Amino acid sequence: MTKRIITLTISFLFLISLAYAQNNEILKTSISNTNELVITIDHTYHYNYGCAYPLTYQINLNQGSHGLIALRKFSTTDRWLSIQEKTSQDFFNGIEATRFDYINNKAFVSTPFSASGDSLFIRITDSLGNNIPLQYDGISKYYDNRIAAVTGSCDDWSDWVVQDDRFSTLLNLFRSYHLYLTVGIITDAANSSGSTWTILQQQLDAGFIEAASHSRSHPDTPYSDYWGEIIGSYDDILSHLSLPALFSLGSEKQYVYTWIAPYGSFDNTIDSLLQFRSYLVSRLYSVGSSTIPSVFFSEWEANYHHFGNINAIVELGAPSWGGGDTSLSSLNGKFDSVLSQNGIYQFMWHPQVLYPDRNLPYLNNHLTYISNRNNIWYVNLGHLYLYHMLQVASTSGISSIANDSNNPHDFFLSQNFPNPFNPSTTISYQIINPGKVVLNIFDLLGRKIRTLVDEYKSPGHYSVSFNATNLSSGIYIYQLASGDKIVVKKMLLLK
């Protein structure tokens, strides 16, 4: 490990130990005096992760309810829009929908946050349009209150499996079963051929696919260039691909949530650097007796601000280096075991291994067995953990609010982006009351380096660029002040 990486890691650990809120502050819920459920998300988390995937909010209904309609809006000035209704007999995943369970007196309202703000308003009306009293019961463990989840991932998306159509053939196979896949891209290999990125984009546009980072050059640990392999590969993906809407914050930002570790190798430096681009989870690779399958969610690691590493339950196919499974009875048995535990059936595969098996009965029969079930959540790995992060962070207590216009996020300062940066970065902020606004930059000794804003501002959302060409590498503090409100955050200049 180079001296630069050691210094970087220590600096970053110090930075994140001060900069982030606790998990239980991410989501706040309340019931208005007009029987509307109001959910607000911490702006920093909203910006860092997008949160475009629908969360399922559980609402208790009065016994004997029928003919209800769910509506939502994203701000007090928006008009209410009805949410399409689905039933337990419908097959759907990852969409905005409402399902009423009148037998058990429950409503399951699945809806995302908007890129335009940090609030969400939900109401349920009777056939006459009157709001019914709401009894909020938290966020379902799984989307639409399903009993289990299925997610797949695969490695080595690169020139050597793209140009001969192996990868596209396999992706189309899994897509035909409506199975979601998280695909690890080796970005330097993709960069060697312009047509590779075009094929990648076509597959993303066809649906069911999540773009994950599988490094730039597929090295074993220790890496000769940790920054390039982890941060650089993330940036390569965003530079070459337009990601699906559920992996974006409108037109402002896109997200790569998943790191697929080359060879399954991992160390503390990788753990530290994953935070710089808000990766949520790392999928490792173990075979044989050393495999520790991830039937349930891994734990949140507060020191690194992401979830603990996970392993697949099974590898489909039989790689020459060992591991894998081609027995239909064994594969179906593993799936049944996960289902009985209400867990997560996580499979993975390598294209060079699975391609020869694409027409074999064991594979197609197993895919038929695990797919298209109405009571199972089919999802990409990144969305699985994005949903879980918000679900476990949600508060269950409800407090009444007297006025819908009370917004706890009316004054906020965003984390600069990119961060770390060299030499320029953008700082965004919002104010709701008119007045003088001051945005200053300080070093760690408290010396003012620069004033970016010092003027009267009307209410609104603003962005300002900061160029640090003449400054040395290190941590800097930026402070927003308006009236009696002050917000401070930290950023890292890395040259």
Side-chain angles (χ1 to χ4, degrees):
M1 187 185 302
T2 65
K3 180 179 180 181
R4 176 172 175 267
I5 289 296
I6 295 173
T7 302
L8 169 64
T9 302
I10 294 172
S11 298
F12 184 70
L13 289 175
F14 171 74
L15 174 63
I16 63 95
S17 68
L18 297 174
Y20 286 101
Q22 296 297 313
N23 265 11
N24 61 10
E25 298 176 349
I26 299 176
L27 286 182
K28 299 293 184 183
T29 56
S30 58
I31 300 291
S32 74
N33 55 4
T34 55
N35 290 312
E36 295 166 6
L37 176 61
V38 183
I39 305 108
T40 55
I41 184 170
D42 177 86
H43 180 75
T44 298
Y45 276 80
H46 192 186
Y47 185 79
N48 284 347
Y49 299 105
C51 306
Y53 196 91
L55 298 176
T56 300
Y57 302 95
Q58 298 183 166
I59 298 171
N60 295 327
L61 304 175
N62 291 330
Q63 190 170 3
S65 297
H66 65 279
L68 301 179
I69 299 172
L71 304 97
R72 64 96 176 126
K73 62 180 181 178
F74 296 121
S75 75
T76 55
T77 58
D78 287 348
R79 65 185 183 92
W80 289 99
L81 295 177
S82 61
I83 302 173
Q84 67 172 319
E85 184 177 346
K86 296 288 186 178
T87 74
S88 60
Q89 302 304 310
D90 294 321
F91 181 74
F92 62 98
N93 290 279
I95 64 170
E96 186 174 47
T98 298
R99 183 170 59 84
F100 292 105
D101 181 354
Y102 292 120
I103 296 177
N104 295 301
N105 303 311
K106 289 275 191 182
F108 300 99
V109 182
S110 301
T111 188
F113 285 98
S114 167
S116 62
D118 300 325
S119 297
L120 171 65
F121 302 82
I122 295 172
R123 68 170 178 163
I124 296 178
T125 67
D126 59 23
S127 58
L128 299 177
N130 301 311
N131 287 3
I132 67 168
L134 296 183
Q135 301 174 50
Y136 178 58
D137 196 27
I139 297 175
S140 299
K141 177 183 177 181
Y142 297 137
Y143 171 82
D144 190 48
N145 201 40
R146 308 284 168 81
I147 65 171
V150 170
T151 186
S153 57
C154 45
D155 297 25
D156 303 339
W157 199 348
S158 53
D159 279 351
W160 57 83
V161 291
V162 167
Q163 298 307 314
D164 59 11
D165 210 33
R166 276 180 287 176
F167 226 120
S168 295
T169 298
L170 290 169
L171 294 182
N172 289 335
L173 172 65
F174 282 86
R175 187 183 289 113
S176 71
Y177 288 96
H178 303 116
L179 293 170
Y180 289 77
L181 288 171
T182 297
V183 183
I185 303 172
I186 305 172
T187 61
D188 267 359
N191 282 333
S192 66
S193 172
S195 62
T196 298
W197 288 113
T198 300
I199 296 171
L200 294 172
Q201 186 65 63
Q202 291 170 348
Q203 287 296 326
L204 287 175
D205 293 344
F208 295 90
I209 305 299
E210 172 189 7
S213 173
H214 198 30
S215 78
R216 273 182 165 167
S217 64
H218 203 282
D220 205 346
T221 52
Y223 300 169
S224 60
D225 179 12
Y226 279 85
W227 186 265
E229 298 292 352
I230 299 166
I231 307 303
S233 62
Y234 185 111
D235 295 342
D236 289 342
I237 291 171
L238 297 194
S239 297
H240 290 88
L241 297 173
S242 177
L243 302 186
L246 292 182
F247 295 90
S248 66
L249 184 67
S251 60
E252 185 173 0
K253 194 177 178 183
Q254 300 183 108
Y255 304 90
V256 178
Y257 297 124
T258 305
W259 168 260
I260 296 180
Y263 301 106
S265 300
F266 207 79
D267 60 27
N268 289 336
T269 305
I270 298 173
D271 226 5
S272 298
L273 289 179
L274 290 174
Q275 304 163 84
F276 275 104
R277 287 295 183 270
S278 298
Y279 286 99
L280 272 176
V281 67
S282 299
R283 200 223 72 201
L284 306 189
Y285 178 62
S286 298
V287 295
S289 60
S290 64
T291 299
I292 305 174
S294 301
V295 178
F296 305 109
F297 290 107
S298 61
E299 295 295 324
W300 179 261
E301 296 186 352
N303 289 338
Y304 294 118
H305 211 72
H306 55 65
F307 288 95
N309 301 328
I310 57 174
N311 274 303
I313 301 252
V314 64
E315 176 172 5
L316 303 179
S320 59
W321 53 86
D325 198 338
T326 60
S327 166
L328 179 61
S329 60
S330 174
L331 290 169
N332 288 354
K334 291 172 181 176
F335 173 79
D336 289 340
S337 175
V338 172
L339 203 60
S340 68
Q341 300 175 72
N342 302 117
I344 304 163
Y345 184 67
Q346 185 188 159
F347 62 87
M348 62 84 57
W349 48 269
H350 286 88
Q352 64 272 35
V353 173
L354 199 61
Y355 184 77
D357 295 357
R358 65 193 181 280
N359 295 318
L360 294 183
Y362 90 85
L363 178 59
N364 285 275
N365 288 342
H366 180 59
L367 298 185
T368 299
Y369 190 72
I370 68 174
S371 63
N372 295 304
R373 300 192 182 205
N374 299 334
N375 61 347
I376 290 179
W377 179 24
Y378 298 94
V379 61
N380 294 123
L381 190 55
H383 284 147
L384 179 76
Y385 274 87
L386 174 66
Y387 183 104
H388 182 60
M389 178 184 71
L390 298 175
Q391 189 266 331
V392 297
S394 63
T395 54
S396 58
I398 300 297
S399 58
S400 296
I401 55 176
N403 191 328
D404 288 344
S405 65
N406 291 338
N407 184 353
H409 300 293
D410 58 4
F411 177 84
F412 62 74
L413 177 64
S414 296
Q415 187 65 46
N416 63 300
F417 182 82
N419 186 47
F421 66 99
N422 179 28
S424 296
T425 188
T426 299
I427 299 171
S428 299
Y429 61 94
Q430 177 176 298
I431 59 172
I432 197 168
N433 296 315
K436 185 177 181 180
V437 175
V438 179
L439 179 60
N440 286 322
I441 310 294
F442 300 89
D443 64 18
L444 283 180
L445 297 178
R447 296 174 298 198
K448 185 164 69 174
I449 302 300
R450 194 170 304 168
T451 298
L452 300 182
V453 179
D454 185 2
E455 59 185 289
Y456 180 92
K457 292 283 189 183
S458 300
H461 185 272
Y462 299 91
S463 295
V464 61
S465 179
F466 171 51
N467 188 296
T469 299
N470 298 321
L471 299 178
S472 57
S473 297
I475 297 173
Y476 291 86
I477 298 169
Y478 56 106
Q479 178 194 76
L480 178 71
S482 181
D484 60 353
K485 298 180 179 179
I486 297 176
V487 183
V488 175
K489 289 186 180 292
K490 297 176 177 64
M491 57 186 169
L492 178 61
L493 173 62
L494 182 66
K495 293 188 174 180

